[in-house]
mmCIF file of all heavy atoms in Angstrom:
data_model
loop_
_atom_site.group_PDB
_atom_site.id
_atom_site.type_symbol
_atom_site.label_atom_id
_atom_site.label_comp_id
_atom_site.label_asym_id
_atom_site.label_seq_id
_atom_site.Cartn_x
_atom_site.Cartn_y
_atom_site.Cartn_z
ATOM 1 N N LEU M 1 107.169 91.488 98.259
ATOM 2 C CA LEU M 1 105.947 91.694 97.479
ATOM 3 C C LEU M 1 105.112 92.872 97.976
ATOM 4 O O LEU M 1 104.159 93.275 97.312
ATOM 5 C CB LEU M 1 105.092 90.422 97.500
ATOM 6 C CG LEU M 1 105.733 89.179 96.891
ATOM 7 C CD1 LEU M 1 104.807 87.978 97.053
ATOM 8 C CD2 LEU M 1 106.102 89.398 95.434
ATOM 9 N N GLY M 2 105.455 93.395 99.148
ATOM 10 C CA GLY M 2 104.704 94.517 99.699
ATOM 11 C C GLY M 2 103.367 94.105 100.292
ATOM 12 O O GLY M 2 102.405 94.874 100.228
ATOM 13 N N ILE M 3 103.310 92.887 100.836
ATOM 14 C CA ILE M 3 102.084 92.388 101.458
ATOM 15 C C ILE M 3 102.396 91.874 102.859
ATOM 16 O O ILE M 3 103.564 91.743 103.229
ATOM 17 C CB ILE M 3 101.409 91.277 100.607
ATOM 18 C CG1 ILE M 3 102.337 90.059 100.445
ATOM 19 C CG2 ILE M 3 100.967 91.822 99.258
ATOM 20 C CD1 ILE M 3 101.700 88.881 99.711
ATOM 21 N N GLN M 4 101.369 91.608 103.625
ATOM 22 C CA GLN M 4 101.527 91.069 104.970
ATOM 23 C C GLN M 4 101.919 89.593 104.907
ATOM 24 O O GLN M 4 101.557 88.883 103.965
ATOM 25 C CB GLN M 4 100.224 91.220 105.760
ATOM 26 C CG GLN M 4 99.803 92.657 105.991
ATOM 27 C CD GLN M 4 100.788 93.406 106.874
ATOM 28 O OE1 GLN M 4 101.267 92.886 107.885
ATOM 29 N NE2 GLN M 4 101.102 94.628 106.476
ATOM 30 N N GLN M 5 102.631 89.125 105.929
ATOM 31 C CA GLN M 5 103.065 87.724 105.976
ATOM 32 C C GLN M 5 101.879 86.774 105.942
ATOM 33 O O GLN M 5 101.915 85.753 105.263
ATOM 34 C CB GLN M 5 103.919 87.492 107.226
ATOM 35 C CG GLN M 5 104.460 86.074 107.362
ATOM 36 C CD GLN M 5 103.498 85.125 108.065
ATOM 37 O OE1 GLN M 5 102.766 85.533 108.965
ATOM 38 N NE2 GLN M 5 103.495 83.877 107.662
ATOM 39 N N ASN M 6 100.794 87.100 106.644
ATOM 40 C CA ASN M 6 99.640 86.197 106.642
ATOM 41 C C ASN M 6 98.987 86.119 105.262
ATOM 42 O O ASN M 6 98.473 85.071 104.881
ATOM 43 C CB ASN M 6 98.624 86.574 107.725
ATOM 44 C CG ASN M 6 97.994 87.931 107.512
ATOM 45 O OD1 ASN M 6 98.590 88.823 106.908
ATOM 46 N ND2 ASN M 6 96.798 88.106 108.035
ATOM 47 N N SER M 7 99.034 87.191 104.490
ATOM 48 C CA SER M 7 98.514 87.161 103.116
ATOM 49 C C SER M 7 99.358 86.242 102.247
ATOM 50 O O SER M 7 98.841 85.470 101.442
ATOM 51 C CB SER M 7 98.488 88.566 102.509
ATOM 52 O OG SER M 7 97.604 89.387 103.220
ATOM 53 N N TYR M 8 100.682 86.335 102.426
ATOM 54 C CA TYR M 8 101.568 85.458 101.657
ATOM 55 C C TYR M 8 101.363 83.997 102.058
ATOM 56 O O TYR M 8 101.334 83.110 101.213
ATOM 57 C CB TYR M 8 103.038 85.858 101.827
ATOM 58 C CG TYR M 8 103.934 84.991 101.001
ATOM 59 C CD1 TYR M 8 104.016 85.166 99.632
ATOM 60 C CD2 TYR M 8 104.657 83.951 101.579
ATOM 61 C CE1 TYR M 8 104.807 84.331 98.859
ATOM 62 C CE2 TYR M 8 105.446 83.122 100.812
ATOM 63 C CZ TYR M 8 105.511 83.316 99.456
ATOM 64 O OH TYR M 8 106.279 82.475 98.689
ATOM 65 N N SER M 9 101.176 83.749 103.345
ATOM 66 C CA SER M 9 100.920 82.397 103.832
ATOM 67 C C SER M 9 99.661 81.823 103.182
ATOM 68 O O SER M 9 99.627 80.647 102.793
ATOM 69 C CB SER M 9 100.774 82.409 105.354
ATOM 70 O OG SER M 9 100.435 81.124 105.827
ATOM 71 N N GLN M 10 98.631 82.637 103.054
ATOM 72 C CA GLN M 10 97.390 82.186 102.423
ATOM 73 C C GLN M 10 97.608 81.844 100.946
ATOM 74 O O GLN M 10 96.980 80.925 100.421
ATOM 75 C CB GLN M 10 96.301 83.236 102.590
ATOM 76 C CG GLN M 10 95.840 83.370 104.025
ATOM 77 C CD GLN M 10 94.868 84.508 104.235
ATOM 78 O OE1 GLN M 10 94.682 85.355 103.372
ATOM 79 N NE2 GLN M 10 94.247 84.529 105.413
ATOM 80 N N ILE M 11 98.497 82.551 100.278
ATOM 81 C CA ILE M 11 98.825 82.230 98.887
ATOM 82 C C ILE M 11 99.536 80.886 98.829
ATOM 83 O O ILE M 11 99.183 80.014 98.030
ATOM 84 C CB ILE M 11 99.682 83.349 98.246
ATOM 85 C CG1 ILE M 11 98.875 84.641 98.119
ATOM 86 C CG2 ILE M 11 100.221 82.905 96.891
ATOM 87 C CD1 ILE M 11 99.709 85.861 97.772
ATOM 88 N N GLU M 12 100.546 80.706 99.671
ATOM 89 C CA GLU M 12 101.281 79.431 99.692
ATOM 90 C C GLU M 12 100.370 78.249 100.006
ATOM 91 O O GLU M 12 100.570 77.161 99.476
ATOM 92 C CB GLU M 12 102.400 79.476 100.737
ATOM 93 C CG GLU M 12 103.672 80.073 100.250
ATOM 94 C CD GLU M 12 104.856 79.792 101.164
ATOM 95 O OE1 GLU M 12 104.718 79.146 102.217
ATOM 96 O OE2 GLU M 12 105.952 80.242 100.793
ATOM 97 N N ASN M 13 99.392 78.461 100.854
ATOM 98 C CA ASN M 13 98.492 77.385 101.253
ATOM 99 C C ASN M 13 97.299 77.213 100.330
ATOM 100 O O ASN M 13 96.424 76.380 100.590
ATOM 101 C CB ASN M 13 98.026 77.603 102.695
ATOM 102 C CG ASN M 13 99.150 77.394 103.682
ATOM 103 O OD1 ASN M 13 99.868 76.400 103.621
ATOM 104 N ND2 ASN M 13 99.337 78.338 104.593
ATOM 105 N N GLY M 14 97.239 77.988 99.251
ATOM 106 C CA GLY M 14 96.174 77.837 98.273
ATOM 107 C C GLY M 14 94.843 78.432 98.689
ATOM 108 O O GLY M 14 93.825 78.190 98.049
ATOM 109 N N ILE M 15 94.841 79.219 99.752
ATOM 110 C CA ILE M 15 93.609 79.860 100.205
ATOM 111 C C ILE M 15 93.273 81.044 99.305
ATOM 112 O O ILE M 15 92.111 81.250 98.941
ATOM 113 C CB ILE M 15 93.736 80.296 101.682
ATOM 114 C CG1 ILE M 15 93.939 79.052 102.557
ATOM 115 C CG2 ILE M 15 92.530 81.111 102.128
ATOM 116 C CD1 ILE M 15 94.366 79.354 103.982
ATOM 117 N N ASN M 16 94.282 81.823 98.947
ATOM 118 C CA ASN M 16 94.124 82.961 98.037
ATOM 119 C C ASN M 16 94.972 82.743 96.795
ATOM 120 O O ASN M 16 96.034 82.105 96.862
ATOM 121 C CB ASN M 16 94.542 84.268 98.712
ATOM 122 C CG ASN M 16 93.563 84.719 99.772
ATOM 123 O OD1 ASN M 16 92.385 84.370 99.740
ATOM 124 N ND2 ASN M 16 94.053 85.483 100.728
ATOM 125 N N ASN M 17 94.532 83.289 95.681
ATOM 126 C CA ASN M 17 95.302 83.228 94.440
ATOM 127 C C ASN M 17 96.372 84.315 94.453
ATOM 128 O O ASN M 17 96.182 85.379 95.034
ATOM 129 C CB ASN M 17 94.393 83.429 93.228
ATOM 130 C CG ASN M 17 93.460 82.275 93.022
ATOM 131 O OD1 ASN M 17 93.831 81.117 93.220
ATOM 132 N ND2 ASN M 17 92.227 82.561 92.639
ATOM 133 N N ILE M 18 97.456 84.028 93.778
ATOM 134 C CA ILE M 18 98.537 85.009 93.678
ATOM 135 C C ILE M 18 98.216 85.997 92.563
ATOM 136 O O ILE M 18 97.687 85.622 91.508
ATOM 137 C CB ILE M 18 99.905 84.323 93.440
ATOM 138 C CG1 ILE M 18 101.046 85.315 93.581
ATOM 139 C CG2 ILE M 18 99.933 83.595 92.101
ATOM 140 C CD1 ILE M 18 102.418 84.680 93.682
ATOM 141 N N GLN M 19 98.484 87.262 92.811
ATOM 142 C CA GLN M 19 98.284 88.284 91.791
ATOM 143 C C GLN M 19 99.369 88.141 90.723
ATOM 144 O O GLN M 19 100.508 87.767 91.022
ATOM 145 C CB GLN M 19 98.354 89.681 92.405
ATOM 146 C CG GLN M 19 97.224 89.984 93.350
ATOM 147 C CD GLN M 19 97.345 91.387 93.934
ATOM 148 O OE1 GLN M 19 98.161 92.208 93.515
ATOM 149 N NE2 GLN M 19 96.510 91.656 94.922
ATOM 150 N N THR M 20 99.015 88.468 89.510
ATOM 151 C CA THR M 20 99.948 88.333 88.391
ATOM 152 C C THR M 20 101.229 89.121 88.623
ATOM 153 O O THR M 20 102.325 88.604 88.388
ATOM 154 C CB THR M 20 99.280 88.784 87.079
ATOM 155 O OG1 THR M 20 98.088 88.023 86.885
ATOM 156 C CG2 THR M 20 100.200 88.587 85.894
ATOM 157 N N ASP M 21 101.121 90.343 89.111
ATOM 158 C CA ASP M 21 102.329 91.144 89.324
ATOM 159 C C ASP M 21 103.221 90.542 90.397
ATOM 160 O O ASP M 21 104.447 90.609 90.312
ATOM 161 C CB ASP M 21 101.992 92.607 89.635
ATOM 162 C CG ASP M 21 101.114 92.796 90.855
ATOM 163 O OD1 ASP M 21 100.258 91.934 91.133
ATOM 164 O OD2 ASP M 21 101.275 93.835 91.531
ATOM 165 N N HIS M 22 102.637 89.890 91.396
ATOM 166 C CA HIS M 22 103.436 89.217 92.416
ATOM 167 C C HIS M 22 104.129 87.982 91.839
ATOM 168 O O HIS M 22 105.291 87.712 92.154
ATOM 169 C CB HIS M 22 102.574 88.811 93.613
ATOM 170 C CG HIS M 22 102.063 89.975 94.405
ATOM 171 N ND1 HIS M 22 101.008 89.860 95.277
ATOM 172 C CD2 HIS M 22 102.457 91.270 94.456
ATOM 173 C CE1 HIS M 22 100.785 91.043 95.842
ATOM 174 N NE2 HIS M 22 101.649 91.907 95.347
ATOM 175 N N LEU M 23 103.424 87.250 90.999
ATOM 176 C CA LEU M 23 104.004 86.071 90.354
ATOM 177 C C LEU M 23 105.198 86.467 89.494
ATOM 178 O O LEU M 23 106.256 85.827 89.548
ATOM 179 C CB LEU M 23 102.943 85.359 89.515
ATOM 180 C CG LEU M 23 103.374 84.089 88.824
ATOM 181 C CD1 LEU M 23 103.751 83.007 89.832
ATOM 182 C CD2 LEU M 23 102.259 83.590 87.916
ATOM 183 N N ILE M 24 105.055 87.528 88.737
ATOM 184 C CA ILE M 24 106.154 88.013 87.889
ATOM 185 C C ILE M 24 107.329 88.458 88.756
ATOM 186 O O ILE M 24 108.484 88.141 88.465
ATOM 187 C CB ILE M 24 105.665 89.143 86.963
ATOM 188 C CG1 ILE M 24 104.672 88.577 85.938
ATOM 189 C CG2 ILE M 24 106.838 89.838 86.281
ATOM 190 C CD1 ILE M 24 103.914 89.632 85.160
ATOM 191 N N LYS M 25 107.045 89.172 89.831
ATOM 192 C CA LYS M 25 108.110 89.641 90.727
ATOM 193 C C LYS M 25 108.879 88.458 91.318
ATOM 194 O O LYS M 25 110.105 88.494 91.412
ATOM 195 C CB LYS M 25 107.520 90.510 91.838
ATOM 196 C CG LYS M 25 108.556 91.234 92.663
ATOM 197 C CD LYS M 25 107.911 92.154 93.671
ATOM 198 C CE LYS M 25 107.982 93.560 93.135
ATOM 199 N NZ LYS M 25 107.557 94.562 94.128
ATOM 200 N N LEU M 26 108.155 87.398 91.702
ATOM 201 C CA LEU M 26 108.819 86.211 92.244
ATOM 202 C C LEU M 26 109.667 85.520 91.181
ATOM 203 O O LEU M 26 110.780 85.074 91.472
ATOM 204 C CB LEU M 26 107.793 85.237 92.823
ATOM 205 C CG LEU M 26 107.118 85.667 94.113
ATOM 206 C CD1 LEU M 26 106.064 84.645 94.520
ATOM 207 C CD2 LEU M 26 108.138 85.855 95.225
ATOM 208 N N ALA M 27 109.161 85.420 89.970
ATOM 209 C CA ALA M 27 109.932 84.790 88.890
ATOM 210 C C ALA M 27 111.223 85.558 88.636
ATOM 211 O O ALA M 27 112.288 84.953 88.466
ATOM 212 C CB ALA M 27 109.092 84.705 87.619
ATOM 213 N N LEU M 28 111.150 86.872 88.625
ATOM 214 C CA LEU M 28 112.357 87.686 88.436
ATOM 215 C C LEU M 28 113.303 87.539 89.621
ATOM 216 O O LEU M 28 114.511 87.404 89.442
ATOM 217 C CB LEU M 28 111.973 89.160 88.238
ATOM 218 C CG LEU M 28 111.243 89.489 86.935
ATOM 219 C CD1 LEU M 28 110.714 90.917 86.972
ATOM 220 C CD2 LEU M 28 112.142 89.263 85.740
ATOM 221 N N PHE M 29 112.764 87.546 90.829
ATOM 222 C CA PHE M 29 113.575 87.424 92.040
ATOM 223 C C PHE M 29 114.321 86.091 92.072
ATOM 224 O O PHE M 29 115.507 86.045 92.395
ATOM 225 C CB PHE M 29 112.672 87.565 93.272
ATOM 226 C CG PHE M 29 113.394 87.400 94.575
ATOM 227 C CD1 PHE M 29 114.193 88.421 95.072
ATOM 228 C CD2 PHE M 29 113.263 86.235 95.317
ATOM 229 C CE1 PHE M 29 114.864 88.265 96.283
ATOM 230 C CE2 PHE M 29 113.929 86.068 96.525
ATOM 231 C CZ PHE M 29 114.728 87.098 97.005
ATOM 232 N N TYR M 30 113.620 85.002 91.736
ATOM 233 C CA TYR M 30 114.232 83.673 91.773
ATOM 234 C C TYR M 30 114.934 83.309 90.463
ATOM 235 O O TYR M 30 115.482 82.222 90.338
ATOM 236 C CB TYR M 30 113.173 82.616 92.083
ATOM 237 C CG TYR M 30 112.635 82.674 93.492
ATOM 238 C CD1 TYR M 30 111.277 82.826 93.710
ATOM 239 C CD2 TYR M 30 113.467 82.550 94.594
ATOM 240 C CE1 TYR M 30 110.752 82.862 95.001
ATOM 241 C CE2 TYR M 30 112.959 82.581 95.883
ATOM 242 C CZ TYR M 30 111.604 82.736 96.078
ATOM 243 O OH TYR M 30 111.095 82.763 97.357
ATOM 244 N N ASN M 31 114.916 84.222 89.486
ATOM 245 C CA ASN M 31 115.534 84.000 88.178
ATOM 246 C C ASN M 31 115.018 82.715 87.534
ATOM 247 O O ASN M 31 115.780 81.833 87.125
ATOM 248 C CB ASN M 31 117.065 83.980 88.281
ATOM 249 C CG ASN M 31 117.715 84.098 86.926
ATOM 250 O OD1 ASN M 31 117.208 84.780 86.039
ATOM 251 N ND2 ASN M 31 118.832 83.417 86.733
ATOM 252 N N THR M 32 113.706 82.620 87.465
ATOM 253 C CA THR M 32 113.043 81.485 86.833
ATOM 254 C C THR M 32 111.848 82.008 86.052
ATOM 255 O O THR M 32 111.681 83.218 85.913
ATOM 256 C CB THR M 32 112.653 80.417 87.886
ATOM 257 O OG1 THR M 32 112.297 79.217 87.224
ATOM 258 C CG2 THR M 32 111.540 80.884 88.800
ATOM 259 N N SER M 33 111.032 81.119 85.537
ATOM 260 C CA SER M 33 109.857 81.539 84.774
ATOM 261 C C SER M 33 108.590 81.405 85.607
ATOM 262 O O SER M 33 108.536 80.632 86.572
ATOM 263 C CB SER M 33 109.718 80.701 83.501
ATOM 264 O OG SER M 33 109.369 79.369 83.830
ATOM 265 N N THR M 34 107.584 82.140 85.222
ATOM 266 C CA THR M 34 106.284 81.982 85.877
ATOM 267 C C THR M 34 105.742 80.579 85.623
ATOM 268 O O THR M 34 105.093 80.006 86.498
ATOM 269 C CB THR M 34 105.275 83.039 85.394
ATOM 270 O OG1 THR M 34 105.169 82.975 83.974
ATOM 271 C CG2 THR M 34 105.699 84.439 85.818
ATOM 272 N N ASP M 35 106.018 80.022 84.468
ATOM 273 C CA ASP M 35 105.578 78.653 84.168
ATOM 274 C C ASP M 35 106.175 77.653 85.156
ATOM 275 O O ASP M 35 105.498 76.721 85.579
ATOM 276 C CB ASP M 35 105.949 78.243 82.743
ATOM 277 C CG ASP M 35 105.023 78.818 81.697
ATOM 278 O OD1 ASP M 35 104.040 79.502 82.068
ATOM 279 O OD2 ASP M 35 105.268 78.577 80.505
ATOM 280 N N TYR M 36 107.426 77.849 85.534
ATOM 281 C CA TYR M 36 108.049 76.959 86.506
ATOM 282 C C TYR M 36 107.354 77.100 87.867
ATOM 283 O O TYR M 36 107.037 76.111 88.513
ATOM 284 C CB TYR M 36 109.543 77.243 86.638
ATOM 285 C CG TYR M 36 110.202 76.360 87.672
ATOM 286 C CD1 TYR M 36 110.456 75.015 87.408
ATOM 287 C CD2 TYR M 36 110.540 76.849 88.927
ATOM 288 C CE1 TYR M 36 111.036 74.189 88.364
ATOM 289 C CE2 TYR M 36 111.120 76.032 89.891
ATOM 290 C CZ TYR M 36 111.361 74.709 89.599
ATOM 291 O OH TYR M 36 111.924 73.892 90.555
ATOM 292 N N LEU M 37 107.116 78.340 88.288
ATOM 293 C CA LEU M 37 106.455 78.562 89.573
ATOM 294 C C LEU M 37 105.044 77.974 89.591
ATOM 295 O O LEU M 37 104.581 77.499 90.617
ATOM 296 C CB LEU M 37 106.411 80.056 89.902
ATOM 297 C CG LEU M 37 107.761 80.728 90.142
ATOM 298 C CD1 LEU M 37 107.567 82.215 90.378
ATOM 299 C CD2 LEU M 37 108.499 80.087 91.303
ATOM 300 N N LEU M 38 104.380 77.990 88.432
ATOM 301 C CA LEU M 38 103.011 77.468 88.332
ATOM 302 C C LEU M 38 102.975 75.970 88.028
ATOM 303 O O LEU M 38 101.901 75.404 87.836
ATOM 304 C CB LEU M 38 102.245 78.231 87.250
ATOM 305 C CG LEU M 38 101.987 79.703 87.543
ATOM 306 C CD1 LEU M 38 101.431 80.398 86.307
ATOM 307 C CD2 LEU M 38 101.055 79.865 88.731
ATOM 308 N N GLU M 39 104.153 75.338 87.979
ATOM 309 C CA GLU M 39 104.296 73.907 87.706
ATOM 310 C C GLU M 39 103.807 73.501 86.311
ATOM 311 O O GLU M 39 103.336 72.389 86.099
ATOM 312 C CB GLU M 39 103.595 73.072 88.785
ATOM 313 C CG GLU M 39 104.203 73.268 90.154
ATOM 314 C CD GLU M 39 103.588 72.377 91.215
ATOM 315 O OE1 GLU M 39 103.473 71.162 90.962
ATOM 316 O OE2 GLU M 39 103.235 72.903 92.283
#
């Protein structure tokens, strides 16, 4: 994602919100939908 590990950790822990472009990149990387990632 081009970010620091601690920034990503904060996203996983719900401290920071994920940016839309990062969410899309993860969906493409994992070959799934953003809706799936967002539950």
Side-chain angles (χ1 to χ4, degrees):
L1 298 177
I3 61 176
Q4 297 295 317
Q5 182 273 326
N6 64 332
S7 296
Y8 182 75
S9 176
Q10 291 174 348
I11 294 168
E12 275 195 359
N13 290 312
I15 297 168
N16 289 335
N17 291 322
I18 190 167
Q19 293 180 10
T20 304
D21 58 327
H22 292 162
L23 182 64
I24 293 168
K25 190 176 259 188
L26 289 176
L28 292 170
F29 178 76
Y30 291 123
N31 194 34
T32 193
S33 69
T34 56
D35 282 357
Y36 178 75
L37 294 177
L38 294 171
E39 297 184 49

